Amino acid sequence: MNLSAVPEQYRGLRSFAFGDGPALADELLDLVIRGVKTATCSTEDEPNTSTPGERWIVLDGRGEPRCIIESTEVSYRRFGEVDAAFAFDEGEGDRSLDYWRNAHRNYFGRQGKFREDMMLMCERLRLVEVF
């Protein structure tokens, strides 16, 4: 990661890229930068768990830092308990709950982790700064 693009006050933050590959990382990052994506979720065993108020460096698909986000809310719920409002805030596809469920079944399925009753860490976030 090239930290020269990151303002000094953020250089000690943890970093991550969305998704599970370069194309998805860039697609989801673009949604965050455009203000469309204000939520995300991951499996409860994800090592990058967040706490409200924590800030992160978000990397693009090439591993370059592109922006800072701040976690505003973290909750845990089962896959089937994710509601239409959260799906809309994730910002993907047509923003419907059906789209969200299909996309996340596929995503977590690629990781070999999908179960209808799986527990998810559901996080709301805000964009702090774009580089």
Side-chain angles (χ1 to χ4, degrees):
M1 177 175 65
N2 176 10
L3 283 178
S4 65
V6 179
E8 196 166 327
Q9 73 263 32
Y10 301 129
R11 290 187 184 165
L13 298 178
R14 293 191 285 170
S15 63
F16 78 102
F18 286 104
D20 58 358
L24 188 55
D26 286 344
E27 177 186 332
L28 298 179
L29 171 66
D30 179 62
L31 292 174
V32 169
I33 289 173
R34 291 191 292 124
V36 175
K37 182 175 184 62
T38 59
T40 193
C41 71
S42 57
T43 56
E44 65 178 335
D45 63 350
E46 165 67 47
N48 285 331
T49 57
S50 202
T51 55
E54 185 171 4
R55 291 182 171 185
W56 292 82
I57 299 169
V58 183
L59 307 174
D60 65 17
R62 293 170 308 289
E64 293 299 317
R66 294 289 309 281
C67 70
I68 299 293
I69 60 167
E70 180 179 301
S71 175
T72 60
E73 175 187 304
V74 176
S75 63
Y76 289 85
R77 53 185 112 164
R78 302 235 174 249
F79 181 83
E81 295 169 344
V82 171
D83 60 14
F86 190 84
F88 183 85
D89 290 346
E90 279 229 33
E92 299 169 42
D94 66 5
R95 302 181 84 173
S96 70
L97 185 56
D98 281 344
Y99 182 95
W100 183 92
R101 285 183 175 154
N102 289 329
H104 286 78
R105 273 187 191 103
N106 290 335
Y107 175 75
F108 293 124
R110 288 195 303 270
Q111 298 175 356
K113 295 181 176 184
F114 181 76
R115 295 185 332 273
E116 284 291 335
D117 67 343
M118 69 189 296
M119 186 64 75
L120 298 174
M121 181 185 78
C122 297
E123 181 177 353
R124 293 188 186 276
L125 55 95
R126 74 179 187 88
L127 180 63
V128 175
E129 188 170 331
V130 178
F131 316 132

